Amino acid sequence: MTRANLACPARHDQRSGQIGRLLAAMTAVVALGGCEQKNVYAPPPPPKVDVAVPVQRAVTRYVEATGNTAPIKSVDLVARVQGFLQTIDYQDGSFVKQGTQLFTIEPETYKLKVEQAQAAEVGAQATLKQAEADFKRQTELVQRQAVSQSILDTSTSTRDNAQAGLQQAQVNTRLAEVNYGYTKVSAPFDGIVSAHLVSIGELVGVSSPTQLATIVALDPIWVNFTVNEQDVLRIRAEAARRGLTVADLKQFPVEVGLQTETGYPHEGRLDYVSPTLNSSTGTLAVRGIIPNDKRVLLPGYFVRVRVPFDQDKNALLVPDTALGSDQSGRYLLVVNNENTVEQRKVQIGQVDNGLRVIESGLKPDDRVVIAGLLRVIPGQKIDPQVTKIEQPQASAK
């Protein structure tokens, strides 16, 4: 009896443990069932995207082109008389002033020819003086009827021949002096003289003029470039609106920069505009003239050229990175009042101090996506983070 009572508590504890485990398992099942009912999809929050209104400021509009420099004067120095080259009076590649003597071609022979012509001129003057005296005497004798008219006619003819002989002698003297002057080759203008092409002692000017060197003027210098037909129409429309004439257009400034320079540090003015367009290329030839006293620009350089023709006081600008492109052209992503992204087609203009000018398709109060373009698509709602477009520092002119 005592043993039976001792065994009952053990069985009771075992049964109670089984019931507890069963209740724990049922509780876990119920809990899992409750979790499955609450696992409903929740959409992610709209992405945060930086947006900003476009910068609005005054912008000068330019016609931009690529051109090349050319000298306004370039002359081949040649030997215009025959003789042996006696001296070379300059250093190759040096700058010379107008009138500087550069070459000497055996002057002695031509100096003697000048003296010979001068002597002949003196003889012709003496002959004319004698003929005039005889003519005067015969005229007086005819008036007194001391000689016949035929003698006066002969005296008159002799005087006229003597006058012609003097004129011929004077021409010969002048020709001899001109040829003597050709023995000294001088710089026709200020410029740089190239390396000499002949040596001292070499015979020059034998059958044709012999080239001795080349002189090139570098200050000022020309810049030749072309303008496409569309820009020509824009400039002509602006000129008509402002009442400008062709002469006024030639006063437009021209800004030039080398490929290695920042901005456009060289300034000049328009010098020539072709009267016709090239039908094969659809371009208009234009030329500017640029001061070049430091001789930074050399003939033959390729340069960047721009010509200001208009100013927009309220231009809209955005960073280039905000622009996208597709088959239809360039576009911007704009956020509307409902914070939905829209794709806006725009016409772009020039770059001004690091920002792109938007010609059309954008309003001053539009919010433009300026960062995170790859995270947004048209029609998507976003969380706009309003910021301000930072303007790069103005580039050097």
Side-chain angles (χ1 to χ4, degrees):
M1 187 68 180
T2 302
R3 292 175 182 174
N5 292 334
L6 292 172
C8 285
R11 287 195 299 271
H12 178 74
D13 292 340
Q14 184 177 5
R15 192 174 299 134
S16 297
Q18 291 176 351
I19 293 173
R21 287 193 294 271
L22 180 61
L23 290 174
M26 292 177 64
T27 302
V29 170
V30 172
L32 289 173
C35 290
E36 289 178 358
Q37 292 177 357
K38 294 181 180 179
N39 190 16
V40 179
Y41 172 77
K48 294 182 178 181
V49 179
D50 291 340
V51 299
V53 296
V55 174
Q56 190 171 11
R57 67 164 185 254
V59 169
T60 301
R61 300 186 185 277
Y62 296 92
V63 171
E64 298 183 350
T66 300
N68 64 285
T69 55
I72 62 172
K73 299 177 185 176
S74 180
V75 173
D76 292 335
L77 302 172
V78 298
R80 301 178 66 177
V81 293
Q82 180 177 335
F84 292 97
L85 187 64
Q86 185 169 322
T87 62
I88 299 175
D89 306 307
Y90 75 100
Q91 294 293 325
D92 291 351
S94 61
F95 175 80
V96 297
K97 301 291 289 183
Q98 180 178 357
T100 302
Q101 184 173 325
L102 305 175
F103 298 93
T104 304
I105 303 172
E106 197 177 9
E108 188 63 27
T109 301
Y110 295 93
K111 182 178 179 181
L112 293 174
K113 289 183 178 180
V114 170
E115 294 174 354
Q116 183 181 33
Q118 289 173 343
E121 183 179 347
V122 172
Q125 289 175 346
T127 301
L128 176 60
K129 185 177 180 179
Q130 181 180 4
E132 287 178 342
D134 183 68
F135 170 77
K136 184 177 180 180
R137 184 169 55 254
Q138 296 301 330
T139 301
E140 294 176 352
L141 291 175
V142 167
Q143 291 176 352
R144 294 196 301 241
Q145 297 182 353
V147 296
S148 64
Q149 183 65 37
S150 62
I151 295 177
L152 178 60
D153 294 341
T154 301
S155 179
T156 303
S157 177
T158 301
R159 183 203 61 180
D160 293 342
N161 287 332
Q163 289 177 340
L166 177 59
Q167 292 177 353
Q168 182 64 51
Q170 291 172 339
V171 171
N172 291 338
T173 300
R174 182 59 186 151
L175 288 174
E177 290 173 346
V178 169
N179 287 330
Y180 177 60
Y182 289 156
T183 62
K184 297 179 181 180
V185 180
S186 302
F189 49 79
D190 296 354
I192 304 293
V193 187
S194 69
H196 60 275
L197 303 178
V198 293
S199 301
I200 294 176
E202 189 172 346
L203 183 63
V204 298
V206 179
S207 57
S208 61
T210 303
Q211 184 176 351
L212 307 175
T214 300
I215 183 171
V216 180
L218 299 181
D219 182 27
I221 195 168
W222 278 333
V223 175
N224 297 304
F225 59 99
T226 58
V227 178
N228 62 52
E229 185 174 354
Q230 183 178 3
D231 286 336
V232 172
L233 294 175
R234 291 168 56 198
I235 294 173
R236 288 177 65 88
E238 179 63 19
R241 185 183 70 83
R242 296 165 56 182
L244 301 177
T245 64
V246 175
D248 295 328
L249 290 177
K250 289 187 177 181
Q251 300 304 317
F252 271 34
V254 175
E255 301 175 3
V256 174
L258 295 174
Q259 303 300 324
T260 56
E261 292 178 328
T262 301
Y264 299 81
H266 311 284
E267 297 184 0
R269 60 175 178 81
L270 282 180
D271 178 64
Y272 168 77
V273 177
S274 174
T276 59
L277 264 73
N278 187 323
S279 58
S280 60
T281 61
T283 57
L284 184 73
V286 184
R287 186 179 68 202
I289 186 167
I290 312 295
N292 191 34
D293 56 337
K294 296 182 179 179
R295 297 193 284 278
V296 175
L297 302 175
L298 297 179
Y301 274 166
F302 282 95
V303 294
R304 296 173 291 110
V305 184
R306 69 179 186 182
V307 180
F309 71 94
D310 186 21
Q311 188 173 48
D312 187 348
K313 296 182 179 179
N314 297 302
L316 301 179
L317 303 95
V318 299
D320 252 342
T321 54
L323 286 162
S325 62
D326 55 20
Q327 293 181 347
S328 61
R330 307 302 296 272
Y331 65 84
L332 290 170
L333 296 180
V334 179
V335 181
N336 62 18
N337 294 332
E338 299 178 354
N339 293 336
T340 302
V341 178
E342 297 178 352
Q343 182 173 307
R344 187 80 57 80
K345 299 297 181 184
V346 294
Q347 295 292 328
I348 64 173
Q350 66 194 35
V351 174
D352 185 83
N353 292 336
L355 297 179
R356 177 70 67 176
V357 176
I358 304 301
E359 300 287 356
S360 62
L362 189 65
K363 295 181 292 185
D365 57 350
D366 282 335
R367 294 181 296 172
V368 180
V369 177
I370 61 172
L373 271 70
L374 298 179
R375 302 199 308 270
V376 296
I377 58 175
Q380 178 186 13
K381 282 188 174 293
I382 65 168
D383 181 9
Q385 305 296 305
V386 180
T387 183
K388 187 177 181 181
I389 297 176
E390 295 184 1
Q391 301 187 52
Q393 293 183 354
S395 60
K397 288 189 69 177

